[in-house]
Amino acid sequence: MSARPRAAWPLVAVFTAGYLAAYLLPTVVGRLSAGLGLSPAQAGLVGSTLLLSSATAGFTLASRVERHGPRRLARLGLLLAVTGYGAAALTTLVPLVVAGAVVGGLGSGTATAVAAAGIAAQRDPHRASTLGLLSVSATAGALYLTIPHLGGGHAAPLAAIAVVAALVWPATGRLSDTHSSDTYSANRPVEISGIRLPHRRSGTVLAATMLCWSLAQNALWGVSGRIGLTQAGLTEVTVGMVFAVALGAGLLGVLGAGALGARLGRAVPIGAGTAVIACCIVASSSAHGLASFATGEILWNVFYPVVLSYLIGLSASLDPRGRWAVLAGSASSLGVACGPLTGSLLSEYAGYRGMGLVLCALLLLIAAPMTAVALHTSGRPLVPGSIRRRGGAPAAVVAGAAAGASSALLPQIGVPEQEVAEIPISSRARRRRKVLAS
């Protein structure tokens, strides 16, 4: 049996622990404001500080996962998350809460970096990232239903993140001590250290646009709780139920992305999906009742994980060592970090609807370069009908397939393109002529 399915679930677990803080951002920011007496802008700044710490860890570890080993780094990240978020949940002193959030953010970023590098090493990065998003969406949805019943204050959401990190700890035992081990992929070749970063232009554009894309998403996500409470006039329990239903709908989106796979490539889901998300942000930010608020949030959460899964798969395909996956993921975390503060400032000076229009324009602006990278990068996986001489099967394999050869000779969907090595073959007749001539 292949080692790849056994290696996927530890990465999914670590991915869940690393991403959970961003998914619980609305309730964290709202509880910080209500429980500690902070203004909305101050609470958003604390949330941004947490996620900025996470992004810093990702940038720092982008090329160091192999050197230190996934298991060691994952355990360090989970330990920091448990310590930081747990300490922040146990105190009401604002400086200590901020310090705990920073330490916890470093842990989340470290765990995410390990998961991103491991996902990039999988034979099908899109499938692995889809499983990760499915897991974190389900976990966050369950917590949104549970946290309102655990009392007020800022402790409940922070403690929940710490508990999930502690529960994920046993899964790290299935990770390897070195990145190139078979724990990640049984079919992954041994790589040479010092290989320069490939696809630099495409990767840079993708990282920059993912920063803006995530900023727009989390600018709304960071203030969605306040939109529901103040503008839509809902209770905290109702808002929590809307978020839980929205994340449940997001699960359907993730499942749909997994079922769709590479049938449409990456350009269509990324470009069209981003345009749909832009419209959903305007609808959600303009809500004045339960129906409009729930509709906007649910539709938005259906398409958000779909596009995100393709973006993660695209960044992973640019470099099988996972460096672009970590760098692009860290850029996304940086956008997530700036999101709460950006949303708070925009909503304070332009109102919630004005904020939605600004974010919509930003998403439509960056949809074009993101789609261009998805169209033109050479790191995309093969899909039916795309087998070519360059990067695909050798000409003999294509000819054999046309003559009715076994379909097992053809590359499977999701397998990265491989460079073709030219091997000169001397025929028996040619060797005989050489012997006679001599």
Side-chain angles (χ1 to χ4, degrees):
M1 180 167 43
S2 173
R4 182 172 57 88
R6 295 196 302 270
W9 72 265
L11 293 174
V12 169
V14 175
F15 183 94
T16 301
Y19 258 74
L20 186 60
Y23 269 69
L24 292 182
L25 190 64
T27 189
V28 170
V29 172
R31 291 295 188 96
L32 288 173
S33 178
L36 298 179
L38 302 178
S39 68
Q42 290 173 333
L45 180 59
V46 175
S48 294
T49 302
L50 184 160
L51 296 173
L52 181 61
S53 176
S54 176
T56 301
F59 281 119
T60 303
L61 297 173
S63 59
R64 293 178 171 84
V65 175
E66 299 177 14
R67 184 184 309 170
H68 300 291
R71 183 190 302 169
R72 185 180 300 121
L73 282 180
R75 288 179 172 176
L76 174 62
L78 296 178
L79 179 61
L80 290 175
V82 172
T83 303
Y85 294 127
L90 294 175
T91 182
T92 57
L93 298 176
V94 175
L96 294 181
V97 172
V98 174
V102 170
V103 174
L106 288 173
S108 294
T110 301
T112 302
V114 173
I119 286 173
Q122 296 288 298
R123 290 176 55 188
D124 188 353
H126 179 259
R127 177 180 178 273
S129 62
T130 298
L131 291 174
L133 291 173
L134 189 66
S135 175
V136 72
S137 296
T139 304
L143 289 175
Y144 271 117
L145 290 175
T146 304
I147 289 175
H149 302 286
L150 299 179
H154 71 290
L158 293 173
I161 302 173
V163 169
V164 171
L167 293 175
V168 168
W169 180 279
T172 60
R174 300 296 299 271
L175 298 177
S176 65
D177 289 326
T178 56
H179 185 73
S180 60
S181 171
D182 288 345
T183 303
Y184 276 71
S185 176
N187 301 300
R188 186 170 176 265
V190 177
E191 296 176 355
I192 302 173
S193 60
I195 299 178
R196 68 192 300 268
L197 196 64
H199 306 296
R200 293 193 174 188
R201 182 179 300 176
S202 297
T204 301
V205 172
L206 181 62
T209 51
M210 282 186 69
L211 187 154
C212 298
W213 188 86
S214 296
L215 183 146
Q217 310 297 323
N218 288 276
L220 177 64
W221 190 236
V223 299
S224 288
R226 298 207 301 273
I227 292 176
L229 294 173
T230 59
Q231 183 171 282
L234 307 177
T235 64
E236 184 184 10
V237 174
T238 304
V239 170
M241 292 181 63
V242 170
F243 286 159
V245 173
L247 290 173
L251 295 178
L252 298 178
V254 174
L255 292 174
L260 183 63
R263 289 179 177 84
L264 297 179
R266 292 193 181 100
V268 172
I270 289 175
T274 298
V276 173
I277 288 173
C279 298
C280 293
I281 287 180
V282 174
S284 182
S285 63
S286 305
H288 284 86
L290 175 59
S292 55
F293 178 72
T295 300
E297 292 289 327
I298 291 172
L299 289 178
W300 174 39
N301 279 276
V302 167
F303 288 95
Y304 166 78
V306 174
V307 179
L308 180 59
S309 68
Y310 282 96
L311 289 174
I312 294 175
L314 176 60
S315 64
S317 72
L318 295 178
D319 178 22
R321 301 179 69 194
R323 289 170 293 179
W324 274 125
V326 177
L327 288 171
S330 299
S332 176
S333 297
L334 184 60
V336 171
C338 298
L341 183 60
T342 302
S344 297
L345 293 176
L346 284 175
S347 61
E348 184 175 347
Y349 291 103
Y352 293 123
R353 179 174 175 78
M355 175 200 68
L357 292 174
V358 172
L359 298 179
C360 174
L362 175 63
L363 286 175
L364 294 178
L365 183 64
I366 65 173
M370 292 172 69
T371 305
V373 172
L375 281 172
H376 298 296
T377 180
S378 62
R380 60 188 180 275
L382 292 173
V383 296
S386 68
I387 300 174
R388 306 183 306 280
R389 183 67 182 88
R390 178 187 176 277
V397 175
V398 177
S406 171
S407 61
L409 295 174
L410 300 179
Q412 300 299 311
I413 295 176
V415 177
E417 296 184 22
Q418 303 294 325
E419 295 295 332
V420 178
E422 300 290 347
I423 302 176
I425 300 176
S426 180
S427 66
R428 182 179 301 176
R430 182 179 299 178
R431 290 197 302 270
R432 186 179 301 164
R433 285 196 299 270
K434 288 182 179 180
V435 171
L436 293 176
S438 61

